[in-house]
Amino acid sequence: MPTEQLKVKIADTFGAASESYDVSARLQRQSGNIILSYLQQNTAKTKNPIVVDLGTGTGYFADILKSDHQNIIGLDLSKSMLQYASNNRNKDINWLAADIHQLPFADNSIDIIYSNLVIQWCDPLHKAFAEIERVLKPGGTFVFTTLLDGTLSELKKSWANVNDDQHVIDFKQLVDVENDIKTTNFNIEILKQQPIVLDYISVKHLANELKSLGASHLPNKVNKGLSGKGSWQKMTKAYQQFQSDSGCYPATYQLCTGKLVKHKL
Ligand SMILES: C[S@@+](CC[C@H](N)C(=O)[O-])C[C@H]1O[C@@H](n2cnc3c(N)ncnc32)[C@H](O)[C@@H]1O
């Protein structure tokens, strides 16, 4: 699928989830708090920095960033997400519909960019890093989280018992993310991987959560329709091999967190 069409699809899938997103965003809350703490460690404090929440979604973290900073811009591809954010968040946040690959900001104009669980949707990733670097001021900070290969491995292995279609998006390895960053003028202060395991009461619970988060778009899936009842049952049976003693179904997310600083001129 051509890139622009793919982006419309991603925006539509997230947009359709704008109302249900916040109640299902357990992983997003955990990961977002980790990179908030990276910002608190910022030693070079600028007076009234311009802060962008890139891929703001429902604006949850833009709202939190607003409690510490005056100038917040929440940017997202999805107009429905931005509509939800502007109805529900601090009225002094500026909301902007735009694409990370083409940021509507001048070179060297932004102090801090925060981005929680967004750049796994950016292809090619190195171009997203280059664009973020372009708009940051020298010495400016970019904190981000993304997901890495091994995410939803239980679901992937369970589906592998049924067919070889795509059921989980393709995530990069940490070394690929690092290599993409190295094509830019960023200094890597933090770049690490950590697993986060969440429990679900059933496989349906997991599937519903992924759907309500808008994270169900699969660009390389051959069979675009819903999986048949038989396939679904076979997959959920295979998932039982991962069930814990307490009866929960675990799902592993391989979280990448990073803090990058643009080199001073
Ligand atoms: C998983 S949500 C994360 C939302 C928010 N950062 C949070 O922590 O809850 C990903 C968001 O990234 C947005 N997004 C995906 N690709 C984008 C792009 N190329 N440019 C801007 N936003 C994008 C989606 O529309 C969606 O709202």
Side-chain angles (χ1 to χ4, degrees):
M1 192 185 285
T3 315
E4 285 319 308
Q5 243 177 293
L6 193 63
K7 284 187 177 168
V8 171
K9 269 264 172 226
I10 292 172
D12 283 354
T13 315
F14 276 107
S18 58
E19 296 288 333
S20 60
Y21 185 91
D22 278 339
V23 285
S24 302
R26 292 187 288 166
L27 174 72
Q28 283 74 0
R29 299 297 179 253
Q30 274 195 48
S31 59
N33 284 327
I34 295 173
I35 52 169
L36 277 183
S37 76
Y38 292 176
L39 280 185
Q40 274 142 21
Q41 296 156 15
N42 245 7
T43 40
K45 294 237 188 301
T46 318
K47 225 178 158 204
N48 290 330
I50 300 174
V51 183
V52 179
D53 180 12
L54 217 56
T56 190
T58 62
Y60 177 87
F61 283 105
D63 217 35
I64 294 179
L65 288 163
K66 179 70 186 155
S67 53
D68 271 344
H69 303 287
Q70 275 289 315
N71 304 311
I72 306 287
I73 299 165
L75 178 148
D76 204 282
L77 202 55
S78 160
K79 291 194 175 131
S80 308
M81 279 294 197
L82 292 171
Q83 188 59 55
Y84 180 93
S86 92
N87 290 343
N88 290 279
R89 306 300 178 200
N90 188 303
K91 297 295 165 215
D92 290 331
I93 297 173
N94 296 302
W95 305 106
L96 195 58
D99 179 359
I100 293 174
H101 280 125
Q102 284 174 296
L103 293 172
F105 305 124
D107 296 0
N108 307 315
S109 60
I110 308 291
D111 296 282
I112 295 172
I113 298 185
Y114 171 100
S115 183
N116 184 35
L117 291 179
V118 179
I119 59 171
Q120 65 274 15
W121 301 103
C122 292
D123 185 22
L125 181 58
H126 67 94
K127 287 209 171 148
F129 281 128
E131 186 61 355
I132 292 163
E133 188 223 304
R134 178 186 71 76
V135 303
L136 272 175
K137 292 178 184 170
T141 303
F142 175 43
V143 292
F144 70 93
T145 66
T146 186
L147 293 171
L148 297 172
D149 188 37
T151 291
L152 297 172
S153 56
E154 300 87 353
L155 184 64
K156 210 170 169 179
K157 283 180 195 148
S158 301
W159 270 118
N161 282 279
V162 183
N163 57 41
D164 55 8
D165 204 353
Q166 189 197 30
H167 297 278
V168 173
I169 70 168
D170 297 323
F171 297 104
K172 289 183 175 242
Q173 312 263 354
L174 186 63
V175 66
D176 302 324
V177 176
E178 187 175 2
N179 286 337
D180 281 339
I181 297 168
K182 283 182 177 161
T183 64
T184 65
N185 191 24
F186 273 125
N187 181 37
I188 300 178
E189 288 205 351
I190 303 173
L191 186 66
K192 58 185 183 191
Q193 174 167 2
Q194 65 190 92
I196 293 183
V197 181
L198 297 184
D199 280 333
Y200 295 85
I201 50 170
S202 63
V203 183
K204 186 108 185 86
H205 178 202
L206 167 64
N208 285 345
E209 189 165 292
L210 294 177
K211 189 155 184 264
S212 58
L213 291 171
S216 49
H217 178 65
L218 296 162
N220 299 326
K221 194 169 193 306
V222 177
N223 180 1
K224 296 289 179 200
L226 288 174
S227 304
K229 202 172 166 197
S231 305
W232 173 262
Q233 278 171 349
K234 206 168 163 196
M235 183 278 282
T236 50
K237 194 158 190 326
Y239 211 118
Q240 283 171 4
Q241 66 186 296
F242 302 107
Q243 217 175 351
S244 66
D245 292 343
S246 61
C248 285
Y249 292 80
T252 304
Y253 297 87
Q254 292 292 342
L255 186 71
C256 169
T257 60
K259 180 177 183 185
L260 313 180
V261 176
K262 180 167 169 176
H263 285 298
K264 296 206 167 144
L265 296 175

PDB file of all heavy atoms in Angstrom, residues 80-106:
ATOM      1  N   SER A  80      -9.647  13.005  14.579  1.00  0.00           N
ATOM      2  CA  SER A  80     -10.603  12.568  15.619  1.00  0.00           C
ATOM      3  C   SER A  80      -9.933  12.532  16.976  1.00  0.00           C
ATOM      4  O   SER A  80     -10.538  12.891  17.989  1.00  0.00           O
ATOM      5  CB  SER A  80     -11.163  11.185  15.308  1.00  0.00           C
ATOM      6  OG  SER A  80     -11.663  11.139  14.020  1.00  0.00           O
ATOM      7  N   MET A  81      -8.688  12.059  17.014  1.00  0.00           N
ATOM      8  CA  MET A  81      -7.948  12.068  18.276  1.00  0.00           C
ATOM      9  C   MET A  81      -7.808  13.510  18.774  1.00  0.00           C
ATOM     10  O   MET A  81      -8.019  13.810  19.947  1.00  0.00           O
ATOM     11  CB  MET A  81      -6.550  11.449  18.093  1.00  0.00           C
ATOM     12  CG  MET A  81      -6.524   9.935  18.109  1.00  0.00           C
ATOM     13  SD  MET A  81      -6.995   9.283  19.741  1.00  0.00           S
ATOM     14  CE  MET A  81      -6.391   7.607  19.622  1.00  0.00           C
ATOM     15  N   LEU A  82      -7.449  14.420  17.861  1.00  0.00           N
ATOM     16  CA  LEU A  82      -7.240  15.819  18.263  1.00  0.00           C
ATOM     17  C   LEU A  82      -8.537  16.463  18.735  1.00  0.00           C
ATOM     18  O   LEU A  82      -8.549  17.270  19.663  1.00  0.00           O
ATOM     19  CB  LEU A  82      -6.646  16.608  17.089  1.00  0.00           C
ATOM     20  CG  LEU A  82      -5.211  16.207  16.722  1.00  0.00           C
ATOM     21  CD1 LEU A  82      -4.789  16.875  15.422  1.00  0.00           C
ATOM     22  CD2 LEU A  82      -4.235  16.576  17.847  1.00  0.00           C
ATOM     23  N   GLN A  83      -9.650  16.081  18.104  1.00  0.00           N
ATOM     24  CA  GLN A  83     -10.952  16.606  18.514  1.00  0.00           C
ATOM     25  C   GLN A  83     -11.253  16.164  19.942  1.00  0.00           C
ATOM     26  O   GLN A  83     -11.666  16.955  20.794  1.00  0.00           O
ATOM     27  CB  GLN A  83     -12.039  16.069  17.554  1.00  0.00           C
ATOM     28  CG  GLN A  83     -13.412  16.684  17.751  1.00  0.00           C
ATOM     29  CD  GLN A  83     -13.366  18.201  17.564  1.00  0.00           C
ATOM     30  OE1 GLN A  83     -12.914  18.685  16.527  1.00  0.00           O
ATOM     31  NE2 GLN A  83     -13.791  18.958  18.574  1.00  0.00           N
ATOM     32  N   TYR A  84     -10.996  14.879  20.221  1.00  0.00           N
ATOM     33  CA  TYR A  84     -11.205  14.347  21.575  1.00  0.00           C
ATOM     34  C   TYR A  84     -10.310  15.111  22.553  1.00  0.00           C
ATOM     35  O   TYR A  84     -10.742  15.544  23.623  1.00  0.00           O
ATOM     36  CB  TYR A  84     -10.881  12.842  21.623  1.00  0.00           C
ATOM     37  CG  TYR A  84     -11.086  12.249  23.000  1.00  0.00           C
ATOM     38  CD1 TYR A  84     -12.300  11.653  23.350  1.00  0.00           C
ATOM     39  CD2 TYR A  84     -10.070  12.323  23.956  1.00  0.00           C
ATOM     40  CE1 TYR A  84     -12.487  11.142  24.636  1.00  0.00           C
ATOM     41  CE2 TYR A  84     -10.258  11.819  25.231  1.00  0.00           C
ATOM     42  CZ  TYR A  84     -11.464  11.227  25.563  1.00  0.00           C
ATOM     43  OH  TYR A  84     -11.657  10.736  26.834  1.00  0.00           O
ATOM     44  N   ALA A  85      -9.028  15.287  22.174  1.00  0.00           N
ATOM     45  CA  ALA A  85      -8.070  15.963  23.057  1.00  0.00           C
ATOM     46  C   ALA A  85      -8.518  17.399  23.337  1.00  0.00           C
ATOM     47  O   ALA A  85      -8.535  17.837  24.494  1.00  0.00           O
ATOM     48  CB  ALA A  85      -6.686  15.951  22.407  1.00  0.00           C
ATOM     49  N   SER A  86      -8.940  18.113  22.307  1.00  0.00           N
ATOM     50  CA  SER A  86      -9.297  19.520  22.534  1.00  0.00           C
ATOM     51  C   SER A  86     -10.574  19.640  23.371  1.00  0.00           C
ATOM     52  O   SER A  86     -10.748  20.597  24.113  1.00  0.00           O
ATOM     53  CB  SER A  86      -9.372  20.289  21.223  1.00  0.00           C
ATOM     54  OG  SER A  86     -10.650  20.278  20.715  1.00  0.00           O
ATOM     55  N   ASN A  87     -11.452  18.631  23.325  1.00  0.00           N
ATOM     56  CA  ASN A  87     -12.669  18.668  24.152  1.00  0.00           C
ATOM     57  C   ASN A  87     -12.392  18.318  25.609  1.00  0.00           C
ATOM     58  O   ASN A  87     -13.170  18.679  26.485  1.00  0.00           O
ATOM     59  CB  ASN A  87     -13.706  17.649  23.644  1.00  0.00           C
ATOM     60  CG  ASN A  87     -14.292  18.049  22.315  1.00  0.00           C
ATOM     61  OD1 ASN A  87     -14.183  19.198  21.915  1.00  0.00           O
ATOM     62  ND2 ASN A  87     -14.901  17.099  21.610  1.00  0.00           N
ATOM     63  N   ASN A  88     -11.330  17.542  25.844  1.00  0.00           N
ATOM     64  CA  ASN A  88     -11.148  16.961  27.179  1.00  0.00           C
ATOM     65  C   ASN A  88      -9.923  17.443  27.945  1.00  0.00           C
ATOM     66  O   ASN A  88      -9.774  17.106  29.111  1.00  0.00           O
ATOM     67  CB  ASN A  88     -11.073  15.428  27.073  1.00  0.00           C
ATOM     68  CG  ASN A  88     -12.418  14.831  26.692  1.00  0.00           C
ATOM     69  OD1 ASN A  88     -13.281  14.659  27.545  1.00  0.00           O
ATOM     70  ND2 ASN A  88     -12.605  14.557  25.407  1.00  0.00           N
ATOM     71  N   ARG A  89      -9.034  18.180  27.292  1.00  0.00           N
ATOM     72  CA  ARG A  89      -7.783  18.560  27.966  1.00  0.00           C
ATOM     73  C   ARG A  89      -7.711  20.064  28.199  1.00  0.00           C
ATOM     74  O   ARG A  89      -8.611  20.802  27.795  1.00  0.00           O
ATOM     75  CB  ARG A  89      -6.572  18.100  27.125  1.00  0.00           C
ATOM     76  CG  ARG A  89      -6.569  16.634  26.758  1.00  0.00           C
ATOM     77  CD  ARG A  89      -6.557  15.712  27.959  1.00  0.00           C
ATOM     78  NE  ARG A  89      -6.595  14.316  27.547  1.00  0.00           N
ATOM     79  CZ  ARG A  89      -6.966  13.308  28.329  1.00  0.00           C
ATOM     80  NH1 ARG A  89      -7.339  13.532  29.582  1.00  0.00           N
ATOM     81  NH2 ARG A  89      -6.970  12.069  27.883  1.00  0.00           N
ATOM     82  N   ASN A  90      -6.607  20.486  28.785  1.00  0.00           N
ATOM     83  CA  ASN A  90      -6.368  21.898  29.105  1.00  0.00           C
ATOM     84  C   ASN A  90      -6.631  22.783  27.867  1.00  0.00           C
ATOM     85  O   ASN A  90      -6.139  22.486  26.778  1.00  0.00           O
ATOM     86  CB  ASN A  90      -4.908  22.038  29.564  1.00  0.00           C
ATOM     87  CG  ASN A  90      -4.609  23.415  30.100  1.00  0.00           C
ATOM     88  OD1 ASN A  90      -4.796  24.401  29.412  1.00  0.00           O
ATOM     89  ND2 ASN A  90      -4.154  23.463  31.347  1.00  0.00           N
ATOM     90  N   LYS A  91      -7.387  23.824  28.063  1.00  0.00           N
ATOM     91  CA  LYS A  91      -7.817  24.652  26.924  1.00  0.00           C
ATOM     92  C   LYS A  91      -6.668  25.481  26.338  1.00  0.00           C
ATOM     93  O   LYS A  91      -6.789  26.033  25.241  1.00  0.00           O
ATOM     94  CB  LYS A  91      -8.970  25.587  27.341  1.00  0.00           C
ATOM     95  CG  LYS A  91     -10.235  24.839  27.764  1.00  0.00           C
ATOM     96  CD  LYS A  91     -10.869  24.051  26.601  1.00  0.00           C
ATOM     97  CE  LYS A  91     -11.878  23.035  27.080  1.00  0.00           C
ATOM     98  NZ  LYS A  91     -11.948  21.786  26.337  1.00  0.00           N
ATOM     99  N   ASP A  92      -5.555  25.571  27.053  1.00  0.00           N
ATOM    100  CA  ASP A  92      -4.445  26.386  26.529  1.00  0.00           C
ATOM    101  C   ASP A  92      -3.402  25.570  25.765  1.00  0.00           C
ATOM    102  O   ASP A  92      -2.310  26.060  25.490  1.00  0.00           O
ATOM    103  CB  ASP A  92      -3.753  27.129  27.685  1.00  0.00           C
ATOM    104  CG  ASP A  92      -4.664  28.207  28.235  1.00  0.00           C
ATOM    105  OD1 ASP A  92      -5.482  28.730  27.453  1.00  0.00           O
ATOM    106  OD2 ASP A  92      -4.575  28.479  29.447  1.00  0.00           O
ATOM    107  N   ILE A  93      -3.734  24.318  25.482  1.00  0.00           N
ATOM    108  CA  ILE A  93      -2.814  23.521  24.643  1.00  0.00           C
ATOM    109  C   ILE A  93      -3.182  23.773  23.179  1.00  0.00           C
ATOM    110  O   ILE A  93      -4.358  23.864  22.835  1.00  0.00           O
ATOM    111  CB  ILE A  93      -2.937  22.011  24.981  1.00  0.00           C
ATOM    112  CG1 ILE A  93      -2.519  21.763  26.443  1.00  0.00           C
ATOM    113  CG2 ILE A  93      -2.100  21.165  24.028  1.00  0.00           C
ATOM    114  CD1 ILE A  93      -2.760  20.345  26.933  1.00  0.00           C
ATOM    115  N   ASN A  94      -2.166  23.887  22.335  1.00  0.00           N
ATOM    116  CA  ASN A  94      -2.418  24.047  20.888  1.00  0.00           C
ATOM    117  C   ASN A  94      -2.417  22.680  20.228  1.00  0.00           C
ATOM    118  O   ASN A  94      -1.454  21.918  20.401  1.00  0.00           O
ATOM    119  CB  ASN A  94      -1.325  24.902  20.251  1.00  0.00           C
ATOM    120  CG  ASN A  94      -1.343  26.292  20.811  1.00  0.00           C
ATOM    121  OD1 ASN A  94      -2.355  26.977  20.731  1.00  0.00           O
ATOM    122  ND2 ASN A  94      -0.247  26.691  21.434  1.00  0.00           N
ATOM    123  N   TRP A  95      -3.467  22.377  19.484  1.00  0.00           N
ATOM    124  CA  TRP A  95      -3.580  21.065  18.823  1.00  0.00           C
ATOM    125  C   TRP A  95      -3.310  21.239  17.336  1.00  0.00           C
ATOM    126  O   TRP A  95      -3.819  22.174  16.717  1.00  0.00           O
ATOM    127  CB  TRP A  95      -4.971  20.461  19.064  1.00  0.00           C
ATOM    128  CG  TRP A  95      -5.298  20.385  20.527  1.00  0.00           C
ATOM    129  CD1 TRP A  95      -6.180  21.183  21.213  1.00  0.00           C
ATOM    130  CD2 TRP A  95      -4.727  19.489  21.494  1.00  0.00           C
ATOM    131  NE1 TRP A  95      -6.184  20.833  22.546  1.00  0.00           N
ATOM    132  CE2 TRP A  95      -5.316  19.800  22.749  1.00  0.00           C
ATOM    133  CE3 TRP A  95      -3.782  18.466  21.453  1.00  0.00           C
ATOM    134  CZ2 TRP A  95      -4.981  19.125  23.934  1.00  0.00           C
ATOM    135  CZ3 TRP A  95      -3.462  17.793  22.629  1.00  0.00           C
ATOM    136  CH2 TRP A  95      -4.053  18.118  23.840  1.00  0.00           C
ATOM    137  N   LEU A  96      -2.535  20.327  16.795  1.00  0.00           N
ATOM    138  CA  LEU A  96      -2.093  20.479  15.413  1.00  0.00           C
ATOM    139  C   LEU A  96      -2.172  19.145  14.676  1.00  0.00           C
ATOM    140  O   LEU A  96      -1.594  18.154  15.132  1.00  0.00           O
ATOM    141  CB  LEU A  96      -0.627  20.953  15.489  1.00  0.00           C
ATOM    142  CG  LEU A  96       0.032  21.532  14.265  1.00  0.00           C
ATOM    143  CD1 LEU A  96      -0.741  22.731  13.744  1.00  0.00           C
ATOM    144  CD2 LEU A  96       1.462  21.959  14.643  1.00  0.00           C
ATOM    145  N   ALA A  97      -2.891  19.143  13.535  1.00  0.00           N
ATOM    146  CA  ALA A  97      -2.961  17.930  12.706  1.00  0.00           C
ATOM    147  C   ALA A  97      -1.775  17.946  11.751  1.00  0.00           C
ATOM    148  O   ALA A  97      -1.657  18.852  10.915  1.00  0.00           O
ATOM    149  CB  ALA A  97      -4.270  17.904  11.931  1.00  0.00           C
ATOM    150  N   ALA A  98      -0.889  16.982  11.885  1.00  0.00           N
ATOM    151  CA  ALA A  98       0.290  16.930  11.000  1.00  0.00           C
ATOM    152  C   ALA A  98       0.938  15.556  11.091  1.00  0.00           C
ATOM    153  O   ALA A  98       0.594  14.740  11.947  1.00  0.00           O
ATOM    154  CB  ALA A  98       1.295  18.007  11.390  1.00  0.00           C
ATOM    155  N   ASP A  99       1.874  15.361  10.172  1.00  0.00           N
ATOM    156  CA  ASP A  99       2.569  14.080  10.048  1.00  0.00           C
ATOM    157  C   ASP A  99       4.012  14.247  10.539  1.00  0.00           C
ATOM    158  O   ASP A  99       4.678  15.225  10.177  1.00  0.00           O
ATOM    159  CB  ASP A  99       2.541  13.709   8.547  1.00  0.00           C
ATOM    160  CG  ASP A  99       3.255  12.413   8.245  1.00  0.00           C
ATOM    161  OD1 ASP A  99       3.806  11.782   9.162  1.00  0.00           O
ATOM    162  OD2 ASP A  99       3.257  12.038   7.050  1.00  0.00           O
ATOM    163  N   ILE A 100       4.461  13.298  11.333  1.00  0.00           N
ATOM    164  CA  ILE A 100       5.830  13.354  11.870  1.00  0.00           C
ATOM    165  C   ILE A 100       6.864  13.458  10.751  1.00  0.00           C
ATOM    166  O   ILE A 100       7.910  14.088  10.924  1.00  0.00           O
ATOM    167  CB  ILE A 100       6.102  12.107  12.747  1.00  0.00           C
ATOM    168  CG1 ILE A 100       5.229  12.176  13.992  1.00  0.00           C
ATOM    169  CG2 ILE A 100       7.579  11.974  13.112  1.00  0.00           C
ATOM    170  CD1 ILE A 100       5.276  10.953  14.868  1.00  0.00           C
ATOM    171  N   HIS A 101       6.574  12.881   9.614  1.00  0.00           N
ATOM    172  CA  HIS A 101       7.545  12.935   8.512  1.00  0.00           C
ATOM    173  C   HIS A 101       7.615  14.315   7.850  1.00  0.00           C
ATOM    174  O   HIS A 101       8.509  14.564   7.034  1.00  0.00           O
ATOM    175  CB  HIS A 101       7.210  11.872   7.454  1.00  0.00           C
ATOM    176  CG  HIS A 101       7.676  10.496   7.842  1.00  0.00           C
ATOM    177  ND1 HIS A 101       6.830   9.413   7.885  1.00  0.00           N
ATOM    178  CD2 HIS A 101       8.884  10.027   8.238  1.00  0.00           C
ATOM    179  CE1 HIS A 101       7.516   8.332   8.262  1.00  0.00           C
ATOM    180  NE2 HIS A 101       8.751   8.685   8.487  1.00  0.00           N
ATOM    181  N   GLN A 102       6.631  15.174   8.169  1.00  0.00           N
ATOM    182  CA  GLN A 102       6.646  16.535   7.575  1.00  0.00           C
ATOM    183  C   GLN A 102       6.176  17.523   8.631  1.00  0.00           C
ATOM    184  O   GLN A 102       5.032  17.994   8.576  1.00  0.00           O
ATOM    185  CB  GLN A 102       5.687  16.597   6.393  1.00  0.00           C
ATOM    186  CG  GLN A 102       6.219  15.940   5.140  1.00  0.00           C
ATOM    187  CD  GLN A 102       5.159  15.915   4.067  1.00  0.00           C
ATOM    188  OE1 GLN A 102       4.119  15.275   4.233  1.00  0.00           O
ATOM    189  NE2 GLN A 102       5.405  16.611   2.981  1.00  0.00           N
ATOM    190  N   LEU A 103       7.008  17.795   9.588  1.00  0.00           N
ATOM    191  CA  LEU A 103       6.584  18.641  10.701  1.00  0.00           C
ATOM    192  C   LEU A 103       6.459  20.101  10.262  1.00  0.00           C
ATOM    193  O   LEU A 103       7.367  20.627   9.598  1.00  0.00           O
ATOM    194  CB  LEU A 103       7.580  18.507  11.858  1.00  0.00           C
ATOM    195  CG  LEU A 103       7.582  17.118  12.522  1.00  0.00           C
ATOM    196  CD1 LEU A 103       8.726  16.999  13.539  1.00  0.00           C
ATOM    197  CD2 LEU A 103       6.245  16.835  13.201  1.00  0.00           C
ATOM    198  N   PRO A 104       5.350  20.763  10.642  1.00  0.00           N
ATOM    199  CA  PRO A 104       5.131  22.146  10.189  1.00  0.00           C
ATOM    200  C   PRO A 104       5.844  23.169  11.090  1.00  0.00           C
ATOM    201  O   PRO A 104       5.236  24.141  11.547  1.00  0.00           O
ATOM    202  CB  PRO A 104       3.599  22.278  10.299  1.00  0.00           C
ATOM    203  CG  PRO A 104       3.232  21.357  11.409  1.00  0.00           C
ATOM    204  CD  PRO A 104       4.212  20.231  11.410  1.00  0.00           C
ATOM    205  N   PHE A 105       7.113  22.900  11.386  1.00  0.00           N
ATOM    206  CA  PHE A 105       7.887  23.801  12.241  1.00  0.00           C
ATOM    207  C   PHE A 105       9.171  24.205  11.508  1.00  0.00           C
ATOM    208  O   PHE A 105       9.718  23.410  10.726  1.00  0.00           O
ATOM    209  CB  PHE A 105       8.284  23.118  13.555  1.00  0.00           C
ATOM    210  CG  PHE A 105       7.124  22.543  14.344  1.00  0.00           C
ATOM    211  CD1 PHE A 105       7.111  21.191  14.703  1.00  0.00           C
ATOM    212  CD2 PHE A 105       6.051  23.347  14.732  1.00  0.00           C
ATOM    213  CE1 PHE A 105       6.048  20.657  15.419  1.00  0.00           C
ATOM    214  CE2 PHE A 105       4.985  22.804  15.455  1.00  0.00           C
ATOM    215  CZ  PHE A 105       4.985  21.457  15.794  1.00  0.00           C
ATOM    216  N   ALA A 106       9.664  25.411  11.849  1.00  0.00           N
ATOM    217  CA  ALA A 106      10.935  25.882  11.258  1.00  0.00           C
ATOM    218  C   ALA A 106      12.106  25.077  11.823  1.00  0.00           C
ATOM    219  O   ALA A 106      11.998  24.481  12.904  1.00  0.00           O
ATOM    220  CB  ALA A 106      11.107  27.359  11.587  1.00  0.00           C
TER     221      ALA A 106
END
